[in-house]
Amino acid sequence: MTGLVSAAFRGLAALRRAPAFHPAGVVRHGELRPVADDLPWPSGPAPVVARLSKGAGTPGRLPDALGLAVRIPGAGRDGGPWDILLTTAGSGHVGRMLPRPAAAWTRGAYSSLVPYRRADRLVWLGAWAATSSPRIEASLDAARATGTWQFVLRTGREDGRWCDSAVLRLTETGGDAPSFDPMLNRPDGLELAPDWLVRLRERAYAGSRAGRPS
């Protein structure tokens, strides 16, 4: 099974000459400010690089599973980065595990889809645009043209509660996107779960990396 997953993602990435999913996106730079210690955030405000993307690559402002990828340099293992990948989804017990097409970047929830395991707890990570945010249609042009964006990052517990954990502000647009990989780039003591799904995702990411142009 894992070999088939790797081959499928490698083939799709080669065909697109880009990541198998979320093939095109808009790069933004900004800052992450922790407000809780429920995840191993940096000790204070930290610079970030983010990428806004559409999962299937639908044209224009057509709805899609929208992606918010965030890299925190220096926050991962051995001084490497921590890559966080979120996708529009529901916010309930089941909905937070299922991608959901969205028609706007600044409406509804984003979710890690799978939980992190920290010590003996499972923790989901989600994001919501600040309540004062205007509606921004789900096109890359809109993502590129709009000014400062602010998201509240929240941790979701097994009992369904969501708690504020950090604030993300995205300002400048432009530059090259890093190769985000949440399987390789994460802090010590923070693992993805469950194990069987982690193995499938590892093969999917490995296939996508192998299929992309150098």
Side-chain angles (χ1 to χ4, degrees):
M1 170 66 79
T2 57
L4 291 174
V5 169
S6 180
F9 276 75
R10 184 172 63 249
L12 184 54
L15 181 66
R16 286 183 152 178
R17 300 184 63 80
F21 289 102
H22 299 274
V26 172
V27 176
R28 283 186 167 269
H29 301 263
E31 180 183 83
L32 181 138
R33 178 174 55 84
V35 297
D37 61 359
D38 49 358
L39 288 178
W41 300 118
S43 58
V48 299
V49 181
R51 183 177 186 261
L52 299 155
S53 59
K54 304 184 74 172
T58 59
R61 61 182 185 180
L62 288 178
D64 204 334
L66 305 180
L68 172 61
V70 181
R71 169 166 288 188
I72 313 171
R77 292 174 292 189
D78 301 320
W82 179 7
D83 288 345
I84 297 168
L85 268 63
L86 306 174
T87 302
T88 48
S91 58
H93 278 88
V94 175
R96 63 188 175 183
M97 295 185 285
L98 301 173
R100 175 183 293 179
W105 298 102
T106 52
R107 294 292 183 271
Y110 292 77
S111 170
S112 58
L113 302 184
V114 298
Y116 291 101
R117 181 180 289 113
R118 190 181 190 197
D120 60 348
R121 292 191 299 120
L122 293 180
V123 180
W124 278 259
L125 184 59
W128 282 258
T131 55
S132 59
S133 300
R135 178 184 174 89
I136 301 171
E137 300 293 337
S139 77
L140 295 183
D141 285 342
R144 191 175 292 112
T146 309
T148 299
W149 294 19
Q150 183 162 302
F151 292 90
V152 178
L153 302 186
R154 297 185 173 113
T155 50
R157 313 302 170 83
E158 291 181 82
D159 63 6
R161 290 181 302 132
W162 288 95
C163 302
D164 290 3
S165 188
V167 174
L168 175 68
R169 294 183 75 252
L170 301 178
T171 52
E172 299 178 16
T173 304
D176 295 329
S179 182
F180 294 95
D181 193 325
M183 312 307 298
L184 297 177
N185 301 323
R186 61 182 186 272
D188 285 325
L190 199 65
E191 305 295 333
L192 292 165
D195 292 341
W196 66 268
L197 184 55
V198 169
R199 290 192 293 271
L200 286 179
R201 291 189 77 188
E202 285 174 341
R203 299 311 301 164
Y205 275 92
S208 183
R209 286 195 301 271
R212 283 180 239 165
S214 300

